[in-house]
Amino acid sequence: MATQDIDRSEAHRTLSASRRGEIVAGIYEAIRSCFAHWEALASFDFEAEFKAYVEDAFEAPDRLGFDLATMRFIAKLRNGHTAFSDEWLWQEHGAPIGLDVTHDEAGWCVTKSAYDDIALGARILQIDDRPIDEMASRLLAFVPGSSIREQRTRLFSKPFLFPPSFEIVMDDGSKKKIDRGRELPDSGTATTGRWLVDGERYLLTIPSFAQPHFEADAIRLLKSLDNTIHLVIDVRGNSGGNTPDKLVAALMPDRYRFWTYVTPVTNALARAQGKPPSLLARKAEWIQPIEGAFEGPLTVLIDRRTFSAAEDFVVPFKDNKRAEIVGETTGGSSGQPYMRDLGDGMRLWVSTKRQMFPNGAPFEGLGIEPDTYRNWPPGADLTTSSA
């Protein structure tokens, strides 16, 4: 259902008991049949947690409370590709913060800003007279992620968890009132290419794989380069979309492989006997190179916001050492999610496969480590610093 079609009536904001029942039943069935990450939840009592969630969901006074109860339950599954979303929640309570903030070893750092007086790189210490770590620890209970690092990275992308207006205190002692509603600057909606060193070093920036044109444009730009060029591919901040297997093939003069993975297989008899779904394992298969693949030297730039299909892109180069990987460890979550439409603008995503590195080493919640660690300051220009 499109956002503009969502019913904004009082009755719709409260949700009837029957609608709540339909939604929680759909969530239970989707998770029980599709979720691939139980091994990461060894001490998790799903039935007990689900029962507690149902009580919270039916006691919630309105749709907002219902949504928050659902998000809190889903976040307990500790998986970056298992999430709940409600378009009504975004419409009614999703006014943007105007800040993107990342947590690192030194604290909470502003990486994007819609405010002229909040500089990139500024550190936030407090929100409304409370230490930001204290507030974050409470809010993270509603944020899905395969690791605490991923949850922290996602926190400021959930504006409905924050008050409509609040004050931040930064590390230089300055204070700033935030009135939600300011959009962040556009981070780029197209694949772009430019020379870092004319005729020698070329930068290909791919901000997303959410639509086919990102991959197609990258391949088009790649075809203009000869094999003497040192190609730098920047997938920092690329949160994924569709696995760009054609682009990988165009860059691979040697054989390569993607993930090893497991996925649950439901057996009716086993379920009747109270047994959990069995797991079907598939080992990574070697793929032979195509004729005409780019053979020049290759560097791939990554960071903690490199996620999902962008990690699918990186892993073959890490595995066969085709490229030097530079930057920060990636987000650490991928896997084909099953999407269930719960009606009225509500949707559930459930991760259907648990991916491992091609050699079987764990990946989920850990990410892809760079060969060379590099943490660029927010807004750094690669023309003035080596990649």
Side-chain angles (χ1 to χ4, degrees), residues 117 168-176:
D117 50 353
I168 62 173
V169 179
M170 289 171 282
D171 57 350
D172 63 357
S174 62
K175 298 181 179 181
K176 173 68 177 179

Side-chain angles (χ1 to χ4, degrees), residues 82 95 102 123 131 142 154 266 282 297 309 334 382:
T82 302
T102 292
R123 298 280 173 176
F142 302 92
R154 289 171 173 237
T266 300
R282 181 167 181 175
S334 196
L382 293 184

Side-chain angles (χ1 to χ4, degrees), residues 210-361:
Q211 300 295 331
H213 70 83
F214 289 103
E215 179 184 21
D217 289 345
I219 293 172
R220 176 180 55 80
L221 291 168
L222 176 63
K223 289 180 178 179
S224 68
L225 305 177
D226 63 49
N227 290 324
T228 64
I229 303 302
H230 186 150
L231 177 61
V232 179
I233 299 181
D234 188 355
V235 289
R236 293 174 300 164
N238 185 322
S239 61
N242 301 303
T243 301
D245 49 2
K246 293 183 178 65
L247 177 59
V248 172
L251 292 162
M252 284 289 193
D254 302 307
R255 67 175 189 162
Y256 60 98
R257 54 187 180 171
F258 288 96
W259 306 101
T260 288
Y261 67 85
V262 295
T263 186
V265 177
T266 300
N267 179 298
L269 180 59
R271 185 168 183 176
Q273 295 170 342
K275 298 177 182 178
S278 58
L279 291 176
L280 174 66
R282 181 167 181 175
K283 292 185 177 180
E285 298 179 353
W286 288 104
I287 301 171
Q288 297 302 316
I290 62 174
E291 184 177 353
F294 178 74
E295 298 180 5
L298 182 63
T299 300
V300 177
L301 309 183
I302 59 174
D303 66 5
R304 67 189 61 206
R305 295 180 184 272
T306 303
F307 185 70
S308 190
E311 293 178 287
D312 296 348
F313 171 75
V314 175
V315 75
F317 301 104
K318 177 69 174 180
D319 178 58
N320 71 358
K321 304 185 184 336
R322 160 72 176 103
E324 181 186 14
I325 313 298
V326 178
E328 298 179 292
T329 302
T330 62
S333 184
S334 196
Q336 181 66 51
Y338 161 68
M339 194 279 286
R340 185 166 189 137
D341 189 338
L342 299 168
D344 300 315
M346 294 183 182
R347 292 177 178 84
L348 176 72
W349 290 265
V350 180
S351 179
T352 62
K353 63 179 180 178
R354 184 173 181 85
Q355 297 183 173
M356 286 79 74
F357 285 102
N359 64 3

